[in-house]
Coordinates of all heavy atoms in Angstrom, one line a residue:
M492 N -27.8 8.7 -0.7 CA -28.3 8.9 -2.0 C -27.2 9.6 -2.8 O -26.6 10.5 -2.4 CB -29.5 9.8 -1.9 CG -30.0 10.2 -3.2 SD -31.5 11.2 -3.0 CE -31.7 11.9 -4.5
L493 N -26.9 9.1 -4.0 CA -26.0 9.6 -4.9 C -26.7 10.5 -5.9 O -27.7 10.2 -6.4 CB -25.2 8.5 -5.7 CG -24.3 7.7 -4.9 CD1 -23.8 6.5 -5.8 CD2 -23.1 8.5 -4.3
R494 N -26.1 11.7 -6.2 CA -26.6 12.6 -7.2 C -25.8 12.4 -8.5 O -24.6 12.5 -8.5 CB -26.5 14.0 -6.8 CG -27.4 14.3 -5.6 CD -27.4 15.8 -5.4 NE -28.2 16.2 -4.2 CZ -29.5 16.4 -4.3 NH1 -30.2 16.3 -5.5 NH2 -30.2 16.7 -3.2
R495 N -26.5 12.2 -9.6 CA -25.9 12.1 -10.9 C -25.6 13.5 -11.4 O -26.4 14.4 -11.3 CB -26.7 11.4 -11.9 CG -26.0 11.2 -13.3 CD -26.8 10.3 -14.2 NE -27.1 9.0 -13.6 CZ -26.2 7.9 -13.6 NH1 -25.0 8.1 -14.2 NH2 -26.6 6.8 -13.1
L496 N -24.3 13.7 -11.8 CA -23.9 15.0 -12.3 C -24.1 15.1 -13.8 O -24.1 14.1 -14.5 CB -22.5 15.3 -11.9 CG -22.2 15.1 -10.4 CD1 -20.7 15.3 -10.2 CD2 -23.0 16.0 -9.6
T497 N -24.3 16.3 -14.3 CA -24.5 16.5 -15.7 C -23.3 16.0 -16.5 O -22.2 16.3 -16.2 CB -24.7 18.0 -16.0 OG1 -25.7 18.5 -15.2 CG2 -25.0 18.3 -17.4
G498 N -23.6 15.2 -17.6 CA -22.6 14.8 -18.5 C -21.7 13.7 -18.0 O -20.5 13.9 -17.7
G499 N -22.2 12.5 -17.8 CA -21.4 11.4 -17.4 C -21.9 10.7 -16.2 O -23.0 10.9 -15.8
S500 N -21.1 9.8 -15.7 CA -21.5 8.9 -14.6 C -21.0 9.4 -13.2 O -21.0 8.6 -12.3 CB -21.0 7.5 -14.8 OG -21.6 7.0 -16.0
T501 N -20.5 10.6 -13.1 CA -19.9 11.1 -11.9 C -21.0 11.4 -10.9 O -22.0 12.1 -11.2 CB -19.0 12.3 -12.2 OG1 -18.1 12.0 -13.1 CG2 -18.4 12.8 -10.9
R502 N -20.9 10.9 -9.7 CA -21.8 11.1 -8.6 C -21.1 11.3 -7.3 O -20.1 10.7 -7.1 CB -22.8 10.0 -8.5 CG -23.6 9.7 -9.8 CD -24.6 8.6 -9.7 NE -23.9 7.3 -9.4 CZ -23.4 6.5 -10.3 NH1 -23.3 6.9 -11.6 NH2 -22.9 5.3 -10.0
V503 N -21.7 12.1 -6.4 CA -21.2 12.3 -5.0 C -22.4 12.1 -4.1 O -23.4 12.6 -4.2 CB -20.6 13.7 -4.9 CG1 -20.1 13.9 -3.4 CG2 -19.4 13.9 -5.8
A504 N -22.1 11.3 -3.0 CA -23.1 11.0 -2.0 C -23.5 12.3 -1.3 O -22.6 13.2 -1.1 CB -22.6 10.0 -1.0
E505 N -24.7 12.4 -0.8 CA -25.1 13.6 -0.1 C -24.5 13.6 1.3 O -24.3 14.6 1.9 CB -26.6 13.6 0.0 CG -27.3 14.0 -1.3 CD -28.8 14.0 -1.1 OE1 -29.4 13.7 0.0 OE2 -29.5 14.3 -2.1
R506 N -24.3 12.4 1.9 CA -23.6 12.3 3.2 C -22.6 11.1 3.1 O -22.9 10.1 2.5 CB -24.5 12.1 4.4 CG -25.9 12.3 4.3 CD -26.6 12.0 5.6 NE -27.3 10.8 5.5 CZ -28.5 10.6 4.9 NH1 -29.1 11.6 4.3 NH2 -29.1 9.4 4.9
F507 N -21.6 11.2 3.8 CA -20.6 10.1 3.9 C -20.7 9.4 5.2 O -20.0 8.4 5.4 CB -19.2 10.6 3.7 CG -18.8 11.0 2.3 CD1 -19.7 11.4 1.4 CD2 -17.5 10.9 1.9 CE1 -19.4 11.7 0.1 CE2 -17.1 11.1 0.6 CZ -18.1 11.6 -0.3
R508 N -21.6 9.9 6.1 CA -21.8 9.2 7.4 C -23.3 9.3 7.7 O -23.9 10.3 7.6 CB -21.0 9.8 8.5 CG -21.3 9.1 9.8 CD -20.6 9.7 11.0 NE -20.9 8.9 12.2 CZ -20.7 9.3 13.4 NH1 -20.3 10.5 13.7 NH2 -21.0 8.5 14.4
D509 N -23.8 8.2 8.2 CA -25.2 8.1 8.7 C -25.2 7.2 9.9 O -25.1 6.0 9.8 CB -26.2 7.6 7.7 CG -27.6 7.7 8.1 OD1 -27.9 8.3 9.2 OD2 -28.5 7.2 7.4
R510 N -25.1 7.8 11.1 CA -25.0 7.1 12.4 C -23.7 6.3 12.4 O -22.6 6.8 12.4 CB -26.3 6.4 12.7 CG -27.4 7.3 13.0 CD -28.7 6.6 13.2 NE -29.2 5.8 12.1 CZ -30.1 6.2 11.3 NH1 -30.7 7.4 11.5 NH2 -30.5 5.5 10.3
R511 N -23.9 4.9 12.3 CA -22.7 4.0 12.4 C -22.3 3.5 11.1 O -21.4 2.7 11.0 CB -23.1 2.8 13.3 CG -23.4 3.2 14.7 CD -23.8 2.0 15.6 NE -22.7 1.1 15.6 CZ -22.6 0.0 16.4 NH1 -23.6 -0.2 17.3 NH2 -21.6 -0.8 16.3
V512 N -22.8 4.1 10.0 CA -22.4 3.7 8.6 C -21.6 4.8 8.0 O -22.0 5.9 8.0 CB -23.7 3.4 7.8 CG1 -23.3 3.1 6.3 CG2 -24.5 2.3 8.4
F513 N -20.4 4.4 7.5 CA -19.5 5.3 6.8 C -19.3 4.9 5.3 O -19.2 3.7 5.1 CB -18.1 5.3 7.4 CG -18.2 5.9 8.8 CD1 -18.4 5.1 9.9 CD2 -17.9 7.3 9.0 CE1 -18.5 5.7 11.2 CE2 -17.9 7.8 10.3 CZ -18.2 7.0 11.4
L514 N -19.3 5.8 4.4 CA -19.1 5.5 3.0 C -17.6 5.8 2.7 O -17.2 6.9 3.0 CB -20.0 6.3 2.1 CG -21.5 6.0 2.2 CD1 -22.2 6.9 1.2 CD2 -21.8 4.5 2.0
I515 N -16.9 4.9 2.0 CA -15.6 5.2 1.5 C -15.4 4.7 0.1 O -16.2 3.8 -0.3 CB -14.5 4.6 2.4 CG1 -14.5 3.0 2.4 CG2 -14.6 5.1 3.9 CD1 -13.3 2.4 3.1
G516 N -14.4 5.2 -0.6 CA -14.1 4.7 -1.9 C -15.3 5.0 -2.9 O -16.0 6.0 -2.8
D517 N -15.5 4.0 -3.8 CA -16.6 4.2 -4.8 C -18.0 4.2 -4.3 O -18.9 4.5 -5.0 CB -16.4 3.2 -5.9 CG -15.3 3.5 -6.9 OD1 -14.7 4.6 -6.8 OD2 -14.9 2.6 -7.6
A518 N -18.2 3.9 -3.0 CA -19.5 3.9 -2.4 C -19.9 5.4 -2.1 O -21.1 5.6 -2.0 CB -19.5 3.1 -1.1
A519 N -19.0 6.3 -2.1 CA -19.3 7.7 -1.8 C -19.2 8.5 -3.0 O -20.3 9.0 -3.4 CB -18.3 8.2 -0.7
P520 N -18.1 8.8 -3.6 CA -18.1 9.4 -4.9 C -17.8 8.4 -6.0 O -17.1 7.5 -5.8 CB -16.9 10.4 -4.8 CG -16.0 9.8 -3.9 CD -16.8 8.9 -3.0
V521 N -18.5 8.6 -7.1 CA -18.2 7.8 -8.3 C -17.6 8.8 -9.4 O -18.3 9.7 -9.8 CB -19.4 7.1 -8.9 CG1 -19.1 6.4 -10.2 CG2 -20.0 6.2 -7.8
Y522 N -16.4 8.6 -9.7 CA -15.7 9.4 -10.7 C -15.3 8.6 -11.9 O -14.3 7.9 -11.8 CB -14.5 10.0 -9.9 CG -13.7 11.0 -10.8 CD1 -14.2 12.2 -11.2 CD2 -12.3 10.8 -11.1 CE1 -13.5 13.1 -11.9 CE2 -11.6 11.7 -11.8 CZ -12.2 12.8 -12.2 OH -11.4 13.7 -12.9
A523 N -16.1 8.7 -12.9 CA -15.9 7.7 -14.0 C -14.9 8.1 -15.1 O -14.6 7.4 -16.0 CB -17.3 7.5 -14.7
S524 N -14.3 9.3 -15.0 CA -13.5 9.7 -16.1 C -12.0 9.3 -16.0 O -11.2 9.6 -16.8 CB -13.5 11.3 -16.3 OG -13.0 11.8 -15.1
G525 N -11.7 8.5 -15.0 CA -10.3 8.0 -14.9 C -10.1 7.3 -13.6 O -10.8 7.6 -12.6
G526 N -9.3 6.2 -13.6 CA -9.1 5.4 -12.4 C -8.2 6.0 -11.4 O -8.4 5.9 -10.2
G527 N -7.2 6.8 -11.8 CA -6.2 7.3 -10.8 C -6.8 8.2 -9.7 O -6.7 7.9 -8.6
P528 N -7.5 9.3 -10.1 CA -8.1 10.2 -9.1 C -9.1 9.4 -8.2 O -9.1 9.6 -7.0 CB -8.8 11.3 -9.9 CG -8.1 11.3 -11.2 CD -7.7 9.9 -11.4
G529 N -9.9 8.6 -8.7 CA -10.9 7.9 -7.9 C -10.2 6.9 -7.0 O -10.6 6.7 -5.8
L530 N -9.2 6.2 -7.4 CA -8.5 5.2 -6.6 C -7.8 6.0 -5.4 O -7.8 5.6 -4.3 CB -7.5 4.4 -7.4 CG -6.6 3.5 -6.6 CD1 -7.4 2.4 -5.9 CD2 -5.5 2.8 -7.5
N531 N -7.1 7.1 -5.8 CA -6.4 7.9 -4.7 C -7.4 8.4 -3.7 O -7.2 8.3 -2.5 CB -5.7 9.0 -5.4 CG -4.4 8.6 -6.1 OD1 -3.9 7.6 -5.8 ND2 -4.0 9.4 -7.0
L532 N -8.6 8.8 -4.2 CA -9.6 9.3 -3.2 C -10.1 8.2 -2.3 O -10.3 8.4 -1.1 CB -10.8 9.9 -4.0 CG -11.8 10.7 -3.2 CD1 -11.2 11.9 -2.6 CD2 -12.9 11.1 -4.1
G533 N -10.3 7.0 -2.8 CA -10.8 5.9 -2.0 C -9.7 5.5 -1.0 O -10.1 5.2 0.2
L534 N -8.5 5.5 -1.3 CA -7.4 5.2 -0.4 C -7.3 6.3 0.7 O -7.2 6.0 1.9 CB -6.1 5.0 -1.1 CG -5.9 3.8 -2.0 CD1 -4.6 3.9 -2.8 CD2 -6.0 2.6 -1.1
Q535 N -7.5 7.5 0.3 CA -7.5 8.6 1.3 C -8.6 8.5 2.2 O -8.5 8.8 3.4 CB -7.4 10.0 0.6 CG -6.2 10.2 -0.2 CD -6.3 11.4 -1.1 OE1 -7.2 12.2 -1.0 NE2 -5.3 11.6 -2.0
D536 N -9.8 8.1 1.7 CA -11.0 7.9 2.6 C -10.7 6.9 3.6 O -11.0 7.1 4.8 CB -12.2 7.4 1.7 CG -12.8 8.5 0.8 OD1 -12.5 9.7 1.0 OD2 -13.6 8.1 0.0
A537 N -10.1 5.8 3.2 CA -9.9 4.7 4.1 C -8.9 5.1 5.2 O -9.1 4.8 6.4 CB -9.3 3.4 3.4
I538 N -7.8 5.8 4.8 CA -6.8 6.2 5.8 C -7.4 7.2 6.8 O -7.2 7.2 8.0 CB -5.6 6.8 5.1 CG1 -4.8 5.6 4.4 CG2 -4.6 7.5 6.0 CD1 -3.8 6.1 3.4
N539 N -8.2 8.1 6.2 CA -8.8 9.2 7.0 C -9.7 8.6 8.1 O -9.8 9.0 9.2 CB -9.5 10.2 6.1 CG -10.0 11.4 6.8 OD1 -11.0 11.3 7.6 ND2 -9.4 12.5 6.6
L540 N -10.5 7.6 7.7 CA -11.5 7.0 8.6 C -10.7 6.1 9.6 O -11.1 6.0 10.7 CB -12.5 6.2 7.8 CG -13.6 5.6 8.6 CD1 -14.4 6.6 9.5 CD2 -14.6 4.8 7.7
D541 N -9.7 5.4 9.1 CA -8.9 4.5 10.0 C -8.4 5.2 11.3 O -8.7 4.7 12.4 CB -7.7 4.0 9.2 CG -6.8 3.1 10.0 OD1 -7.3 2.1 10.6 OD2 -5.6 3.4 10.1
W542 N -7.8 6.3 11.2 CA -7.2 6.9 12.4 C -8.3 7.5 13.3 O -8.2 7.5 14.5 CB -6.2 8.0 12.1 CG -6.7 9.2 11.5 CD1 -6.7 9.6 10.1 CD2 -7.2 10.4 12.2 NE1 -7.3 10.8 10.0 CE2 -7.5 11.4 11.2 CE3 -7.4 10.7 13.5 CZ2 -8.1 12.6 11.5 CZ3 -7.9 12.0 13.8 CH2 -8.2 12.9 12.8
R543 N -9.4 7.9 12.7 CA -10.6 8.4 13.5 C -11.2 7.2 14.3 O -11.5 7.4 15.5 CB -11.6 9.0 12.6 CG -11.2 10.3 11.9 CD -12.2 10.7 10.8 NE -11.6 11.7 10.0 CZ -11.7 13.0 10.3 NH1 -12.4 13.4 11.4 NH2 -11.2 13.9 9.5
L544 N -11.4 6.1 13.6 CA -12.0 4.9 14.3 C -11.0 4.4 15.4 O -11.5 4.0 16.5 CB -12.3 3.8 13.3 CG -13.5 4.1 12.4 CD1 -13.6 3.0 11.4 CD2 -14.8 4.3 13.1
A545 N -9.7 4.4 15.1 CA -8.8 4.0 16.1 C -8.8 4.9 17.4 O -8.8 4.4 18.5 CB -7.4 4.0 15.5
A546 N -8.9 6.2 17.1 CA -9.0 7.1 18.3 C -10.3 6.9 19.1 O -10.3 7.0 20.3 CB -9.0 8.6 17.8
E547 N -11.4 6.6 18.3 CA -12.7 6.4 19.0 C -12.6 5.1 19.8 O -13.1 5.0 21.0 CB -13.8 6.2 17.9 CG -15.2 6.0 18.5 CD -15.8 7.2 19.2 OE1 -15.4 8.3 18.9 OE2 -16.7 7.0 20.0
I548 N -12.0 4.0 19.3 CA -11.9 2.8 20.0 C -11.0 3.0 21.3 O -11.3 2.4 22.3 CB -11.3 1.7 19.1 CG1 -12.4 1.3 18.1 CG2 -10.8 0.5 19.9 CD1 -11.8 0.5 16.9
R549 N -9.9 3.7 21.1 CA -9.0 4.0 22.3 C -9.7 4.9 23.3 O -9.2 5.0 24.5 CB -7.7 4.7 21.8 CG -6.7 3.8 21.2 CD -5.4 4.4 21.0 NE -5.5 5.7 20.4 CZ -5.3 6.0 19.1 NH1 -5.1 5.0 18.3 NH2 -5.4 7.2 18.6
G550 N -10.7 5.6 22.9 CA -11.4 6.5 23.9 C -10.8 7.9 23.9 O -11.1 8.7 24.8
S551 N -9.9 8.2 22.9 CA -9.2 9.5 22.9 C -9.8 10.5 21.9 O -9.3 11.6 21.8 CB -7.7 9.3 22.6 OG -7.5 8.7 21.4
A552 N -10.9 10.1 21.3 CA -11.5 11.0 20.2 C -12.5 12.0 20.9 O -13.3 11.6 21.7 CB -12.2 10.1 19.2
P553 N -12.4 13.2 20.4 CA -13.4 14.2 20.9 C -14.7 13.8 20.2 O -14.8 13.1 19.2 CB -12.9 15.5 20.4 CG -11.9 15.2 19.3 CD -11.4 13.9 19.6
P554 N -15.9 14.2 20.8 CA -17.2 13.8 20.3 C -17.4 14.1 18.8 O -18.1 13.4 18.1 CB -18.2 14.6 21.2 CG -17.4 15.0 22.4 CD -16.0 15.1 22.0
E555 N -16.9 15.2 18.3 CA -17.1 15.6 16.9 C -16.2 15.0 15.9 O -16.3 15.2 14.7 CB -17.1 17.1 16.8 CG -15.7 17.8 17.0 CD -15.3 17.9 18.5 OE1 -16.2 17.7 19.4 OE2 -14.2 18.3 18.8
L556 N -15.2 14.2 16.3 CA -14.2 13.7 15.4 C -14.8 12.8 14.3 O -14.5 13.0 13.1 CB -13.1 12.8 16.2 CG -12.0 12.3 15.3 CD1 -11.2 13.5 14.7 CD2 -11.1 11.4 16.1
L557 N -15.7 11.9 14.6 CA -16.3 11.0 13.6 C -17.2 11.8 12.7 O -17.3 11.6 11.5 CB -17.0 9.9 14.2 CG -16.2 8.8 14.9 CD1 -17.0 7.7 15.5 CD2 -15.2 8.2 13.9
D558 N -17.9 12.8 13.2 CA -18.8 13.7 12.4 C -18.0 14.5 11.4 O -18.4 14.7 10.3 CB -19.6 14.7 13.3 CG -20.6 14.0 14.1 OD1 -21.1 12.9 13.6 OD2 -21.0 14.5 15.1
S559 N -16.7 14.9 11.7 CA -15.9 15.7 10.8 C -15.5 14.9 9.6 O -15.1 15.5 8.6 CB -14.8 16.3 11.5 OG -13.9 15.3 11.9
Y560 N -15.5 13.5 9.6 CA -15.2 12.7 8.5 C -16.1 13.1 7.3 O -15.6 13.3 6.2 CB -15.3 11.2 8.8 CG -15.2 10.3 7.6 CD1 -14.0 10.0 7.1 CD2 -16.4 9.8 7.0 CE1 -13.9 9.2 5.9 CE2 -16.3 9.0 5.8 CZ -15.0 8.7 5.3 OH -14.9 7.9 4.2
D561 N -17.4 13.2 7.5 CA -18.3 13.5 6.4 C -17.9 14.8 5.7 O -17.8 14.9 4.5 CB -19.7 13.6 7.0 CG -20.7 14.1 5.9 OD1 -21.1 13.3 5.0 OD2 -21.1 15.3 6.0
T562 N -17.7 15.9 6.5 CA -17.4 17.2 5.9 C -16.1 17.1 5.1 O -16.0 17.6 4.0 CB -17.3 18.2 7.0 OG1 -18.5 18.2 7.8 CG2 -17.1 19.6 6.5
E563 N -15.1 16.6 5.7 CA -13.7 16.6 5.1 C -13.7 15.8 3.8 O -13.2 16.2 2.8 CB -12.7 16.1 6.1 CG -12.4 17.1 7.2 CD -11.3 16.5 8.1 OE1 -10.6 15.6 7.8 OE2 -11.2 17.1 9.2
R564 N -14.3 14.6 3.9 CA -14.2 13.7 2.7 C -15.1 14.1 1.6 O -14.8 13.9 0.4 CB -14.4 12.2 3.1 CG -13.4 11.7 4.1 CD -12.0 12.0 3.8 NE -11.5 11.6 2.5 CZ -10.5 12.1 1.8 NH1 -9.8 13.1 2.3 NH2 -10.2 11.6 0.7
R565 N -16.3 14.7 1.9 CA -17.2 15.2 0.9 C -16.5 16.3 0.1 O -16.6 16.4 -1.1 CB -18.5 15.6 1.5 CG -19.7 15.3 0.5 CD -21.0 15.4 1.1 NE -21.2 15.7 2.5 CZ -21.4 16.9 3.0 NH1 -21.5 17.9 2.2 NH2 -21.5 17.1 4.3
Q566 N -15.8 17.2 0.9 CA -15.1 18.3 0.2 C -14.0 17.8 -0.7 O -13.8 18.3 -1.8 CB -14.5 19.3 1.3 CG -15.5 20.1 2.0 CD -14.9 20.9 3.1 OE1 -13.7 20.8 3.4 NE2 -15.7 21.7 3.8
A567 N -13.3 16.8 -0.3 CA -12.3 16.1 -1.1 C -12.9 15.5 -2.4 O -12.4 15.7 -3.5 CB -11.5 15.1 -0.4
A568 N -14.1 14.9 -2.2 CA -14.8 14.3 -3.4 C -15.2 15.4 -4.4 O -15.1 15.3 -5.6 CB -16.0 13.5 -2.9
H569 N -15.7 16.5 -3.9 CA -16.1 17.6 -4.7 C -14.9 18.2 -5.5 O -15.1 18.6 -6.6 CB -16.8 18.7 -3.9 CG -18.2 18.3 -3.4 ND1 -19.2 17.8 -4.2 CD2 -18.7 18.3 -2.2 CE1 -20.2 17.6 -3.5 NE2 -19.9 17.8 -2.2
R570 N -13.8 18.3 -4.8 CA -12.6 18.8 -5.5 C -12.1 17.8 -6.6 O -11.6 18.3 -7.7 CB -11.4 19.0 -4.5 CG -11.6 20.2 -3.7 CD -10.3 20.5 -2.9 NE -9.9 19.4 -2.1 CZ -10.2 19.2 -0.8 NH1 -11.0 20.1 -0.2 NH2 -9.7 18.2 -0.1
T571 N -12.3 16.5 -6.4 CA -11.9 15.5 -7.4 C -12.9 15.5 -8.6 O -12.5 15.2 -9.7 CB -11.8 14.1 -6.8 OG1 -10.9 14.2 -5.7 CG2 -11.3 13.1 -7.8
T572 N -14.2 15.8 -8.4 CA -15.2 15.8 -9.4 C -15.4 17.2 -9.9 O -16.2 17.9 -9.3 CB -16.5 15.1 -9.0 OG1 -16.9 15.8 -7.8 CG2 -16.3 13.7 -8.6
P573 N -14.7 17.6 -10.9 CA -14.6 19.1 -11.3 C -16.0 19.7 -11.7 O -16.1 20.9 -11.5 CB -13.6 19.1 -12.5 CG -13.5 17.7 -13.0 CD -13.9 16.8 -11.8
R574 N -16.9 18.9 -12.1 CA -18.2 19.4 -12.6 C -19.2 19.6 -11.4 O -20.2 20.1 -11.6 CB -18.9 18.6 -13.6 CG -18.1 18.6 -14.9 CD -18.9 17.8 -15.9 NE -17.9 16.7 -16.3 CZ -18.2 15.8 -17.1 NH1 -19.4 15.7 -17.7 NH2 -17.3 14.9 -17.4
H575 N -18.8 19.2 -10.2 CA -19.7 19.2 -9.1 C -19.1 20.2 -8.1 O -18.0 20.1 -7.7 CB -19.9 17.9 -8.5 CG -21.0 17.8 -7.5 ND1 -20.9 18.4 -6.3 CD2 -22.2 17.3 -7.6 CE1 -22.0 18.2 -5.6 NE2 -22.8 17.5 -6.4
R576 N -19.9 21.1 -7.6 CA -19.5 22.0 -6.5 C -20.5 21.8 -5.3 O -21.7 21.6 -5.6 CB -19.6 23.4 -7.0 CG -18.5 23.7 -8.0 CD -17.1 23.5 -7.5 NE -16.2 23.6 -8.5 CZ -15.4 22.6 -8.9 NH1 -15.4 21.5 -8.4 NH2 -14.5 22.8 -9.9
P577 N -20.0 21.8 -4.1 CA -20.9 21.6 -3.0 C -22.0 22.7 -2.9 O -21.8 23.8 -3.3 CB -20.0 21.7 -1.8 CG -18.7 22.2 -2.2 CD -18.7 22.1 -3.7
R578 N -23.1 22.3 -2.3 CA -24.2 23.2 -2.2 C -24.1 24.0 -0.9 O -23.6 23.6 0.0 CB -25.5 22.4 -2.1 CG -25.8 21.8 -3.4 CD -27.0 21.0 -3.3 NE -27.2 20.5 -4.6 CZ -28.3 19.9 -5.1 NH1 -29.3 19.7 -4.3 NH2 -28.3 19.4 -6.3

């Protein structure tokens, strides 16, 4: 679920992971005030998830590695959307 923020189309998902589903790019945060920050955030999401999934596939990931994606990327989204602060 995306929450609309006051004054504009900026939204941040409540979770970036739900079991086997991960949100990246504009599916997670929507930052409508400019393309650069949103594009950078989406690329960072993809890279961040890439190495985590690779470690999981290799069998070298600790159990909490995939869960930490949600926390780290949501914090990055909140930093990019200046009007929104995490709860």
